[in-house]
Amino acid sequence: MHVPSDRPLASWIRELYADDKIYVFYNSPEWKALRHEVLEDHGFECEACADHGVYVRADTVHHEYHVHSHPGMALTRFIELPDGTRREVLHPLCNSCHNAAHGRFDGPRHKPKGKPVTKERWD
């Protein structure tokens, strides 16, 4: 199902949450294309792990402005700051870092498994 063009994105997403069907948004071609674009632009690497020198394949894209509390920004990749600079608000993360970002995980999240890999790992 495509994101409706006949009404605001925020109202559609609120309706999906109310009906417990937010998965419809995450299965939409618009979200899948944006998600793939973010992952591809970041080399399919977890941004949080890479910040700690650990290279792990990203398997999700995290909304800095969570879809539930900011439904109108669900398809927003960049925001413009008051000084005119653009900042990305969608972040490629591995499952462990995504759980940590949502407070669903209490342990360390940047554990290298085995021998460290180089940045070229996902090319």
Side-chain angles (χ1 to χ4, degrees):
M1 172 182 232
H2 285 276
V3 172
S5 58
D6 61 340
R7 59 185 160 152
L9 176 63
S11 67
W12 180 61
I13 288 179
R14 283 188 200 101
E15 182 181 308
L16 292 176
Y17 269 110
D19 294 341
D20 200 25
K21 293 184 178 180
I22 192 61
Y23 63 86
V24 173
F25 166 73
Y26 288 109
N27 285 319
S28 71
E30 293 85 356
W31 170 247
K32 286 182 176 185
L34 181 57
R35 177 187 179 277
H36 182 76
E37 180 183 300
V38 171
L39 290 169
E40 189 171 59
D41 287 353
H42 288 271
F44 293 89
E45 291 178 358
C46 174
E47 191 176 84
C49 287
D51 287 347
H52 290 85
V54 179
Y55 296 98
V56 175
R57 187 170 181 87
D59 48 21
T60 191
V61 171
H62 174 67
H63 286 87
E64 187 174 317
Y65 291 91
H66 298 189
V67 174
H68 189 268
S69 54
H70 298 88
M73 294 184 70
L75 293 172
T76 300
R77 181 169 180 185
F78 296 97
I79 60 168
E80 188 170 326
L81 300 176
D83 67 1
T85 59
R86 282 183 358 145
R87 185 169 64 81
E88 191 166 23
V89 294
L90 294 177
H91 306 281
L93 298 177
C94 66
N95 191 48
S96 180
C97 288
H98 191 232
N99 283 334
H102 285 281
R104 299 184 293 236
F105 183 74
D106 293 327
R109 41 183 181 160
H110 309 288
K111 289 182 182 177
K113 293 179 181 174
K115 185 179 175 184
V117 295
T118 64
K119 285 187 104 176
E120 292 78 28
R121 167 84 162 101
W122 309 120
D123 290 344

